[in-house]
Amino acid sequence: MKNAKALVLLALLPAFAFSKEKTEPSPFDTPERVVVASPGGAVSLALEPGESVVDYEVSPAGSLVALEVRSPSGYDLRFWRMGEPSAPVAWKAPAGTTLKGLTWHPLKERTLFLLSASATEHRILRLEEKGGAWTPAVVLKSPKTLRRIIIGPRPSLYSTPKGELVTEYRITYGAALRGGGWSIRSVTESGVRDVQIAGPNATMDTVAGEGE
């Protein structure tokens, strides 16, 4: 009789596990982005005298290139359609702001993340097109020197202190350590759960009340 009960229990377990899996959100349910192939031949863009490219990245959606450009008048963001002769300025950084890096959102074609710096702090900005204009919002700001910025191709799942499950993409960047050296940190696209993922034990973070 005990063996019969065990068999019934084992038979029910796969159905229970399958049902639970379907009721919980999962980053693995997010469809893969189809990346468009590069042009068949070489393409180039000529800049004006005194201008230089700080960073650039091709959109996953096609042959549109986002460029951070330094010019005598400051820093700006431009978009270049490969093969076209010019790249119009889409957004100009405020005076005194340095642009240091960029990355596209994996799914949102009109959203980018920029790494910027001023005299007092470094920032990660979320730049979105709204009503035909590009509008920045601060994701993270730090008195530390920050460098490089990338975003994961797949979203992550985390829980809030209230137990709510949230699916977001994570931005990874480098942060200067006091006394020299660098740590690798990660923050969600909305600016929460900023944690060190590689670096000294002394600078590791704990996020009270949250699990991932």
Side-chain angles (χ1 to χ4, degrees):
M1 182 62 66
K2 291 184 179 180
N3 290 339
K5 289 182 179 180
L7 288 173
V8 171
L9 180 59
L10 288 174
L12 290 174
L13 281 176
F16 174 79
F18 179 79
S19 174
K20 183 178 181 181
E21 180 182 359
K22 289 300 181 181
T23 58
E24 294 183 354
S26 170
F28 299 103
D29 294 333
T30 304
E32 291 281 358
R33 183 62 184 266
V34 178
V35 179
V36 178
S38 300
V43 292
S44 62
L45 173 69
L47 299 177
E48 296 294 328
E51 294 182 339
S52 59
V53 174
V54 177
D55 195 13
Y56 70 93
E57 188 171 288
V58 180
S59 167
S63 57
L64 185 66
V65 185
L67 307 101
E68 289 178 339
V69 176
R70 179 181 181 180
S71 69
S73 61
Y75 291 80
D76 58 62
L77 176 72
R78 307 180 188 186
F79 293 105
W80 175 50
R81 185 72 62 181
M82 292 185 190
E84 294 186 357
S86 62
V89 175
W91 179 75
K92 198 165 184 60
T97 298
T98 300
L99 298 182
K100 303 179 60 181
L102 64 84
T103 189
W104 287 88
H105 192 286
L107 289 183
K108 299 179 181 179
E109 298 179 9
R110 311 305 287 178
T111 302
L112 300 96
F113 298 94
L114 311 181
L115 183 60
S116 70
S118 66
T120 58
E121 64 183 12
H122 280 64
R123 292 184 175 188
I124 295 176
L125 304 176
R126 181 188 183 104
L127 198 66
E128 292 184 279
E129 186 185 33
K130 298 179 179 179
W134 288 88
T135 304
V138 177
V139 174
L140 178 135
K141 54 185 178 181
S142 173
K144 301 176 182 178
T145 299
L146 307 182
R147 62 180 296 186
R148 302 299 298 270
I149 179 174
I150 60 174
I151 191 167
R154 303 288 295 180
S156 65
L157 181 69
Y158 69 92
S159 61
T160 68
K162 296 181 179 180
E164 301 169 332
L165 295 177
V166 181
T167 300
E168 285 192 333
Y169 288 86
R170 296 195 67 89
I171 302 165
T172 302
Y173 64 96
L177 295 171
R178 184 178 301 176
W182 297 86
S183 67
I184 301 175
R185 301 186 63 84
S186 175
V187 65
T188 69
E189 59 181 294
S190 64
V192 300
R193 289 182 58 85
D194 177 38
V195 294
Q196 176 177 289
I197 57 176
N201 289 334
T203 54
M204 291 295 290
D205 301 275
T206 57
V207 184
E210 295 190 7
E212 188 165 16

